[in-house]
Amino acid sequence: MLTKMHSRASLAAAFIMAITANSATARPLDEVLDSKRLFVVAYEDNRPFSWTQDDGTVTGIDVEIARALATELGVDADIELRMGGERADQDVRVNVIRGTVGGGKPGDIMMHIPTDKEFAMKFKEAVISNPYFLQTVAIAIDSKRIPKDATFDIFKKEKVSVKLATVSDYFLMGFQDGALVNNVSHFTRGPQGAKEFLSGETAALMGVRSEIEGTLFEQGAKAEFISPEMSDLIRKQWEVGIANDDKSRDLGYAIGQALNKLRESGKLKDIFAKFGVTYIPPPEG
C-alpha cells in the first residue's frame, strides 16, 4: 500500500515539475531576438487560418501572419499546429502558459484567440491582445434567387445550408419557433456545404464569413454576402488576436508594433486575399 502511495506521489511530483519547467520557458523579447526564432502555436484544422497540407507543410492566414510578424522582428518563425481543446481558455493555458502534458513547450505567441475583455480576464499568467481580424456571421447567397435586402423569411421557401451544431444552426432552427426547419440543410464539413450551394441545391450558405469565403475560394468560386437582422443570434461577431505569456509583455508590445506595420502597409489585407477572404479590421479603441 505504501509502495503504491509512494508511486502516485512520485508521479504527481514529476507532473508538477514538468509543468513548472514548461512555464519557466516563457521568453521575453530579448531572448526571442537572441535565438533568432519565434515559436508560434496555431490551431490545426482551422481553415482558412491554419491547417496542414497533404505534403505536411502548414499553411493558412494565421501561418502567413505569423511569418510576416517574425520577419518584422528580424527572426524566423517556427510554427506548430495543435488541435484545440473543448474551450479556448484551456488552449491558452496549455499552449501559452504551461505547455502540453506530453511535454510540448509553450509558444512565444498563440494565434487566433478571442480578445473580448471577459475572456481575457480569465488569465493572470497570459496577455490576450493585438486583435487583427473581426470574425462575422453572414450569409452567402445566390443573387439570382435571394435579393440583397432579404430577411430570414426568404428561407421559408428557399433552402439554406449551415454547419451542424453551430450558433448559425441554432439560430436557423429556432427562428420563429422552427418556421425554417424544413428548408435548413445541415453539413459537417465545409466543402460539403459549398458543394450544395454551388450546385444550386441550396440558395444560401450561412456561417462564419471567413470560413465560407475560404471554402468557396478553394472551389474556385466566390459569392455575394448579406447580413440581415440577427438580433437573436448568440454571437454574430468577435475579434481574434494573439496570446503571449505575462512574463513576455515586451514581446507582446513588439508584436503589436509589427502588426500595425503589416496593417498600414496593406500586407495584412494581402494575406487574407491570398486565401480568398475579405479582410475586416477590428474596430478601433
Side-chain angles (χ1 to χ4, degrees):
M1 182 68 176
L2 288 174
T3 301
K4 289 183 177 179
M5 291 178 64
H6 178 73
S7 177
R8 290 174 182 171
S10 298
L11 287 172
F15 181 71
I16 291 170
M17 288 176 66
I19 292 176
T20 303
N22 276 334
S23 63
T25 62
R27 303 194 303 162
L29 177 62
D30 59 351
E31 290 188 25
V32 171
L33 297 180
D34 288 344
S35 71
K36 301 293 185 182
R37 317 295 297 184
L38 178 70
F39 181 42
V40 183
V41 175
Y43 285 107
E44 179 64 278
D45 197 21
N46 187 36
R47 298 171 101 110
F49 288 89
S50 48
W51 75 96
T52 303
Q53 300 183 105
D54 292 339
D55 63 1
T57 59
V58 298
T59 190
I61 294 168
D62 283 346
V63 172
E64 294 282 337
I65 293 174
R67 288 174 177 152
L69 290 172
T71 298
E72 288 292 335
L73 295 180
V75 301
D76 292 322
D78 294 328
I79 302 172
E80 183 173 320
L81 304 190
R82 296 175 179 172
M83 293 302 297
E86 293 183 0
R87 302 198 316 266
D89 60 321
Q90 293 176 335
D91 296 335
V92 172
R93 291 188 176 93
V94 168
N95 296 306
V96 175
I97 299 171
R98 67 171 185 251
T100 69
V101 174
K105 67 179 182 178
D108 294 318
I109 62 173
M110 183 175 184
M111 307 296 294
H112 216 87
I113 302 300
T115 63
D116 60 274
K117 292 182 180 179
E118 184 177 348
F119 180 77
M121 289 293 288
K122 292 183 177 184
F123 309 100
K124 292 182 179 179
E125 306 95 335
V127 178
I128 314 296
S129 60
N130 296 321
Y132 56 89
F133 185 61
L134 183 67
Q135 293 277 30
T136 62
V137 173
I139 306 172
I141 61 167
D142 178 345
S143 58
K144 295 179 181 179
R145 297 164 62 181
I146 306 290
K148 292 183 179 180
D149 61 351
T151 66
F152 283 95
D153 285 329
I154 193 73
F155 300 121
K156 292 177 181 177
K157 61 178 181 179
E158 293 282 4
K159 294 193 70 174
V160 56
S161 294
V162 68
K163 192 172 185 177
L164 185 67
T166 60
V167 292
S168 297
D169 178 22
Y170 300 142
F171 173 83
L172 287 172
M173 296 300 285
F175 183 81
Q176 293 182 1
D177 295 323
L180 310 181
V181 169
N182 292 334
N183 280 328
V184 176
S185 176
H186 291 101
F187 61 87
T188 56
R189 303 291 295 178
Q192 177 190 350
K195 182 178 179 181
E196 291 179 351
F197 174 63
L198 294 174
S199 68
E201 185 178 340
T202 61
L205 178 56
M206 182 175 178
V208 179
R209 176 167 178 157
S210 61
E211 183 178 338
I212 293 174
E213 284 188 313
T215 303
L216 292 177
F217 182 76
E218 289 188 35
Q219 303 290 324
K222 61 181 180 179
E224 292 187 43
F225 282 82
I226 61 172
S227 297
E229 176 60 37
M230 309 178 197
S231 57
D232 293 332
L233 190 68
I234 297 173
R235 196 181 193 192
K236 58 185 176 183
Q237 63 180 39
W238 62 97
E239 297 176 9
V240 293
I242 299 171
N244 58 270
D245 194 287
D246 182 64
K247 301 182 188 70
S248 306
R249 283 180 176 267
D250 57 351
L251 174 61
Y253 297 144
I255 291 291
Q257 293 172 355
L259 196 58
N260 285 336
K261 289 182 180 179
L262 296 180
R263 187 181 293 111
E264 292 169 1
S265 68
K267 175 69 173 178
L268 205 56
K269 184 177 179 180
D270 291 343
I271 289 172
F272 278 84
K274 179 178 177 179
F275 295 91
V277 176
T278 302
Y279 174 59
I280 306 176
E284 295 184 5

